[in-house]
Amino acid sequence: MSDSFAQRLLDWYDRHGRKALPWHHDRNAYRVWVSEIMLQQTQVATVIPYYEAFMARFPSVHALAEAPVDDVLGHWSGLGYYARARNLQKAAQQVVTEFGGDFPADQAQLESLPGIGRSTAAAILAQAFQQRATILDGNVKRVLARHHAVDGWPGQTRVLNQLWDHAESHTPTERVRDYTQAIMDLGAMVCTRSRPGCDTCPLSSSCAAYAADEATRYPGSKPKKEKPEKSTWMVILEDPDGRVLLEKRPASGIWGGLWSLPELDPALESDELAEACERSLGLSCQDVTIQAGFRHTFSHYHLHIRPALIAARPQARVADDNDRRWLYRDEALALGLPAPIRTLLTDPGQTALL
DNA sequence: TATACGTGGCT
DNA sequence: TAGCCAAGTAT
């Protein structure tokens, strides 16, 4: 065992740690990997129901590799960061073709797979293979920034490198799987962002921030920047049968790869929408109704969404049948609709449309 | 190095 | 309540 830091953490874990999360049973590299990807920037309570449904549908790396991508995205819909889902399937296909269906127990080879970075590779090594490896997620950053009174925002390379150094130096050679879970659990349950439970923390006796009574000063906060305001038209094109036109979004950008209502150039005036639909979608429209807009806030900008209900004339046809489909709402919900668009389609209270 | 990428919980 | 943040990675 390395230092008393790790030992105190393990003793605490034995009494208070989380040991019955869904990915803790039937533990193998595939199950650990899926959980780690879902848990990136996403809280445990949010992940659990998605994880259960995902594993029921894609129980093995082969099942995931062979599935239609819309099926994978559909199971991810509502979780956010959809590149994770597309990368997940790409990586599954690579594991099958390049590694014979077995995840490599090697840091560099794991990192060669899309969506797996330094910390996720280490988590898989520790959790699935019980190999000594060092993780550094948000919880660990907070614990270490406080324990060593590391100044500055972890987004800065200098600060990040310091945290990695501390993380490496504390990683024990024995019980790495439990240690890795322990330091994350401590961050999630005791060394929380606000109101940390220093009174019950096993590390308080050596914690520099606690000694200075300044736990919440660490880690340093991100410099704040003004979020730009963007705007878009979202058109609810309805054909005489009551079907709605959806289009598959490009793989990059917001809601990448998901099916959503078509967007139109925000510079268009409302009386130009019908003509714009005819031009860009190749179908004839009538009866444009502008709905109340609403603002949606993302990590880096605000988006003002202006919904427009447009009736398509009978026998309307669109170009690009692969990328655009007329669908009844129930069918639409089975696809990878992102949550805000799903709300538009299903919540009459919000839009007074449907 | 900075920015893009989502959604939901917390204060 | 509006802003901050969460089991990070890719570009």
Side-chain angles (χ1 to χ4, degrees):
Chain A
M1 200 54 60
S2 65
D3 58 4
S4 132
F5 181 98
Q7 190 57 57
R8 281 178 284 158
L9 217 35
L10 283 164
D11 290 344
W12 175 86
Y13 170 81
D14 288 337
R15 289 193 217 175
H16 307 291
R18 294 177 290 191
K19 306 176 189 76
L21 293 169
W23 40 93
H24 287 166
H25 60 80
D26 302 322
R27 203 170 323 205
N28 60 44
Y30 174 70
R31 290 175 56 85
V32 168
W33 168 60
V34 172
S35 77
E36 291 298 334
I37 301 299
M38 282 193 175
L39 286 162
Q40 288 170 0
Q41 300 289 285
T42 309
Q43 299 188 139
V44 169
T46 303
V47 163
I48 288 174
Y50 282 88
Y51 182 80
E52 303 278 24
F54 194 94
M55 297 310 297
R57 169 62 184 84
F58 312 108
S60 68
V61 68
H62 296 95
L64 178 56
E66 294 162 5
V69 66
D70 280 352
D71 203 350
V72 179
L73 285 166
H75 279 77
W76 211 270
S77 178
L79 248 195
Y81 286 147
Y82 300 96
R84 292 185 295 175
R86 295 191 307 277
N87 283 335
L88 199 71
Q89 191 181 34
K90 277 184 215 153
Q93 291 164 348
Q94 283 183 227
V95 167
V96 169
T97 59
E98 296 174 20
F99 300 106
D102 295 320
F103 281 83
D106 175 85
Q107 178 92 24
Q109 290 187 322
L110 286 170
E111 285 183 36
S112 76
L113 297 168
I116 300 184
R118 181 174 176 180
S119 189
T120 299
I124 295 168
L125 287 175
Q127 295 289 330
F129 297 111
Q130 305 202 52
Q131 211 173 93
R132 185 175 183 274
T134 300
I135 62 159
L136 186 64
D137 64 8
N139 289 311
V140 179
K141 285 175 188 169
R142 192 168 51 253
V143 169
L144 295 177
R146 286 173 178 171
H147 190 263
H148 297 281
V150 177
D151 281 307
W153 172 54
Q156 293 178 300
T157 304
R158 194 192 101 264
V159 178
L160 191 61
N161 286 339
Q162 283 183 52
L163 292 172
W164 270 112
D165 287 346
H166 289 305
E168 296 273 9
S169 71
H170 288 304
T171 306
T173 53
E174 310 281 322
R175 293 192 67 189
V176 194
R177 172 198 276 186
D178 290 343
Y179 171 83
T180 298
Q181 187 66 48
I183 193 166
M184 286 190 293
D185 285 357
L186 190 81
M189 301 163 69
V190 175
C191 195
T192 49
R193 183 163 65 91
S194 55
R195 312 220 252 162
C198 300
D199 292 348
T200 62
C201 180
L203 303 177
S204 62
S205 63
S206 53
C207 179
Y210 178 70
D213 195 21
E214 288 190 320
T216 55
R217 195 180 125 196
Y218 306 93
S221 55
K222 174 180 174 158
K224 54 177 95 176
K225 276 180 193 154
E226 199 83 350
K227 283 180 167 59
E229 297 277 351
K230 301 187 182 182
S231 177
T232 190
W233 288 108
M234 291 207 134
V235 296
I236 304 167
L237 272 158
E238 207 167 14
D239 78 358
D241 292 336
R243 297 179 303 175
V244 170
L245 185 70
L246 296 181
E247 64 183 13
K248 191 169 177 64
R249 307 180 65 94
S252 63
I254 195 74
W255 302 322
L258 294 177
W259 290 85
S260 80
L261 302 174
E263 286 189 67
L264 255 32
D265 184 348
L268 291 167
E269 300 293 337
S270 56
D271 59 7
E272 301 172 308
L273 291 177
E275 192 200 339
C277 284
E278 298 187 13
R279 218 172 31 242
S280 65
L281 306 174
L283 50 77
S284 58
C285 302
Q286 57 190 353
D287 296 341
V288 177
T289 311
I290 309 301
Q291 299 296 313
F294 57 95
R295 197 170 79 148
H296 193 84
T297 297
F298 294 100
S299 304
H300 287 82
Y301 60 96
H302 303 286
L303 182 63
H304 185 74
I305 297 175
R306 288 180 292 172
L309 176 61
I310 302 177
R313 293 183 195 281
Q315 69 270 29
R317 305 185 62 87
V318 294
D320 299 330
D321 241 21
N322 272 347
D323 298 333
R324 299 197 173 95
R325 296 187 201 165
W326 291 102
L327 288 175
Y328 293 104
R329 288 178 196 84
D330 289 349
E331 297 176 289
L333 292 177
L335 295 174
L337 279 165
I341 312 304
R342 178 188 297 154
T343 301
L344 265 180
L345 284 169
T346 58
D347 181 4
Q350 169 147 2
T351 64
L353 269 183
L354 312 168

